[in-house]
């Protein structure tokens, strides 16, 4: 007779595979009259460990659209890959780049198609609308979205968003008598605010730091190009002759 | 349900040039239900020390009474006013006495202290609910909106602000932070302490 | 479910509490007076854990009476609220805390002002222009945000109170059918039939 193996008093054990993690970092986008700035830090962490000091979270999709993804990095990268694939198919079918409001709707349907096993990612899409205005679209992980003037997401959202409310929307401020707030902020002001936001977040949040990548999308013949002249560490990524131009600025953030 | 977030409320203190400011919202709630829009959680300790007590509202009152007793006893025994540094240690030890059954408050202290040479020095500090002290040179925050306060303060604060500029900085920081916090807001109060006076102002805020 | 509310007007405080006494799903009584007159110008509604409520209310009532006997003058509303709060706060960190929620409405004869305090079982006290406890508070507080006027004459205050009672009976599933209403002003305490 075969040996009987008995497991003495072993309790049934439950194993649960958790397919998600949170990889820290923060993203931010601000729209201007004829430009859009989309930024993110480059630290990628898991718990208290830094996995890499350079993992981009902001991606150029077309010459008029840039996508920032934050949350679970693996999902984020896969999602960007799939969006890019859909944009390429569109280009082959229609011989032009998809307009940004169509990309926004595409992202919604792609996210909602995974309603019950979502991409664990917060998306912010920035770029130039067909009418030449700067645009920011922000999404939740299952595809709810909205066009806004500015949005922060990720680990330091709670630090950055109220600062933006104050400095972009002028919340809780009243203009001096006889004056009014500027209707649209200039590119140089916006870039300073983005840099300040990330240095502040780096100072007080452990998951933010290492590097900063700011993508700047300019509308056709935008005069805002003037204020980019003296920006340190800038390079152009424009691929087409359509008129919209994409630039990236890379800066160091504190590494502690 | 977190006890520290049961009643809501936030406090911030900032140091300036020969002045300090301490500010707080005025909401008292029961989780998501707002009960009062005039709940004071910042109290004078001496003419130039204020304490803010965000956390569980019953402990706000209990601790205020306790600190008043202990400061009075100190003043009688020492025959002098307590200094902010000593008071902060008094706060810390009072909280640590209850290490394993704490008061659910993380206090913020703001005051002007005297230097041995006869000058004055702005003083701010905060502790956690069991009395671990954080002496800061710039600003300290506490309460349900603390992460928001950190973000805005880090962006707006700069060294050596005068009383009026400090008032503007702390007010903007508080208002914009509590507007993004469901548990804080419903009005605010700011105290700016200088060497010879305390300016107290009530701020109008969003009521949602 | 247990509901109580109170509001201040010009020189008076109106205090109302439902009159049901329930054990689990059973209504045992529907004429219970849950508003105690704790001193000549001070009313207190109490609600919470059955047993604790009456025990604690009577403890407060007897002690405030003792104070008046000893000192001739009764405690003023602010002082009474502090003493009651301290009792609850000390009870909270004892082995058997009272779980009683109170509304303390009084007329301060020295300041010639009506006063109202919202007190919960934790010992949280706040002075308010109007207040409520229980499930009714979720309906009534927003209503009083809209209609309350601290300078309103008594008739108008009672109208607001009626609106509150109507709203609770309309929207709350387990709404009480009857309320006891009392008023305290410079002349002391009196009952009101709505």
């Amino acid at each position: 007779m075969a040996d009987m193996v008995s497991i003495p008093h072993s309790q049934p054990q439950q194993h649960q595979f958790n397919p998600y993690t949170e990889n820290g970092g923060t993203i931010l986008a601000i729209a201007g009259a004829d430009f859009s700035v989309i930024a993110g830090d480059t630290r990628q962490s898991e718990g208290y460990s830094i996995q890499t000091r350079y993992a981009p979270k902001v991606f150029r999709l077309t010459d008029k659209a840039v996508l920032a993804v934050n949350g679970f990095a693996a999902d984020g990268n896969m999602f960007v890959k799939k969006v890019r694939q859909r944009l390429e198919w569109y280009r082959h079918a229609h011989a032009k780049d998809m307009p940004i409001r169509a990309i926004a709707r595409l992202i919604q349907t792609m996210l909602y198609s995974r309603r019950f096993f979502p991409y664990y990612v917060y998306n912010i899409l920035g770029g130039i609308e067909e009418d030449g205005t700067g645009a920011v679209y922000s999404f939740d992980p299952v595809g709810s979205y909205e066009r806004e003037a500015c949005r922060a997401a990720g680990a330091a959202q709670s630090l950055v968003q109220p600062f933006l409310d104050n400095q972009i929307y002028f919340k809780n401020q009243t203009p001096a008598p006889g004056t009014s707030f500027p209707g649209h902020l200039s590119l140089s002001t916006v870039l300073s605010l983005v840099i300040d936001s990330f240095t502040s977040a780096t100072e007080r949040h452990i998951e933010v730091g290492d590097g900063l990548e700011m993508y700047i999308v300019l509308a056709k013949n935008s005069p805002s190009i003037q204020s980019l002249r003296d920006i340190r560490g800038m390079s152009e990524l424009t691929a087409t002759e359509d008129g919209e131009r994409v630039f990236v600025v890379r800066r160091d953030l504190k590494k502690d | 349900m977190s006890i520290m977030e049961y009643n809501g409320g936030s406090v911030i203190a900032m140091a300036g040039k020969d002045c300090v400011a301490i500010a707080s919202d005025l909401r008292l709630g029961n989780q998501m239900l707002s009960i009062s829009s005039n709940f004071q959680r910042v109290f004078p300790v001496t003419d130039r020390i204020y304490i803010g007590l965000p956390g569980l509202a019953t402990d706000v009152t209990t601790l205020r009474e306790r600190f008043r007793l202990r400061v009075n006893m100190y003043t009688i025994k020492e025959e002098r006013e307590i200094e902010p540094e000593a008071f902060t240690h008094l706060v810390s030890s009072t909280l640590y006495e209850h290490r394993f059954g704490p008061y659910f408050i993380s206090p913020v202290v703001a005051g002007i202290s005297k230097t041995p040479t006869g000058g004055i020095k702005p003083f701010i500090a905060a502790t956690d609910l069991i009395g671990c002290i954080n002496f800061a040179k710039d600003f300290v925050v506490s309460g349900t909106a603390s992460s928001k306060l950190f973000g805005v303060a880090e962006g707006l604060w700069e060294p050596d602000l005068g009383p009026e500029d400090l008032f503007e900085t702390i007010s903007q920081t508080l208002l914009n932070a509590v507007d993004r916090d469901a548990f804080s807001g419903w009005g605010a109060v700011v105290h700016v302490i200088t060497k010879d006076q305390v300016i107290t102002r009530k701020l109008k805020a969003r009521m949602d | 479910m247990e509901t109580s509310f109170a509001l201040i007007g010009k020189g008076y405080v109106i205090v109302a509490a439902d009159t049901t006494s329930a054990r689990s799903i059973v209504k045992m009584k529907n004429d219970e007076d849950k508003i105690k007159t704790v001193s000549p110008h001070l009313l207190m509604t109490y609600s919470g854990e059955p047993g604790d409520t009456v025990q604690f209310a009577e403890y407060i009532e007897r002690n405030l009476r003792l104070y008046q006997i000893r000192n001739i003058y009764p405690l003023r509303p602010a002082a009474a609220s502090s003493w009651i709060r301290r009792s609850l706060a000390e009870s909270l960190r004892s082995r058997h805390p009272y779980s009683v929620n109170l509304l303390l409405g009084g007329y301060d004869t020295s300041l010639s002002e009506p006063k109202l305090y919202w007190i919960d079982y934790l010992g949280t006290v706040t002075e308010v222009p109007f207040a409520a406890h229980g499930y009714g508070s979720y309906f009534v507080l927003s209503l009083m945000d809209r209609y309350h006027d601290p300078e309103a004459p008594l008739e108008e205050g009672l109208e607001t109170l009626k609106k509150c009672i109507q709203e609770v009976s309309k929207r709350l599933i387990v709404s009480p059918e009857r309320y006891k209403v009392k008023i305290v002003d410079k002349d002391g305490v009196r009952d009101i039939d709505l």
Side-chain angles (χ1 to χ4, degrees), chain A residues 41-96:
Chain A
D41 69 328
T42 64
R43 175 174 293 181
Q44 191 179 101
S45 57
E46 189 167 2
Y48 292 130
S49 309
I50 294 171
Q51 293 172 321
T52 170
R53 296 190 189 279
Y54 185 72
K57 278 192 280 292
V58 191
F59 303 93
R60 191 193 74 95
L61 297 178
T62 66
D63 274 350
K64 43 185 168 254
V66 172
L67 182 62
V69 287
N70 191 236
F72 177 28
D75 272 4
N77 291 324
M78 186 47 103
F79 187 71
V80 170
K81 191 171 151 181
K82 297 224 164 190
V83 172
R84 279 182 161 158
Q85 184 179 55
R86 295 288 293 267
L87 291 179
E88 191 173 326
W89 290 346
Y90 182 96
R91 203 152 41 234
H92 292 149
H94 299 95
K96 64 165 191 156

Side-chain angles (χ1 to χ4, degrees), chain A residues 20-36:
Chain A
Y20 293 122
T21 56
E22 182 93 54
N23 295 106
T26 279
I27 52 172
L28 159 63
I30 300 172
D34 59 353
F35 64 86
S36 186

Side-chain angles (χ1 to χ4, degrees), chain B residues 61-75:
Chain B
T61 319
T62 306
L63 278 181
R64 184 190 60 159
E65 287 167 1
R66 255 189 113 85
F67 291 143
R68 187 173 59 190
L69 173 86
R70 296 193 71 171
V71 167
N72 285 344
M73 294 304 288
Y74 182 99
T75 317

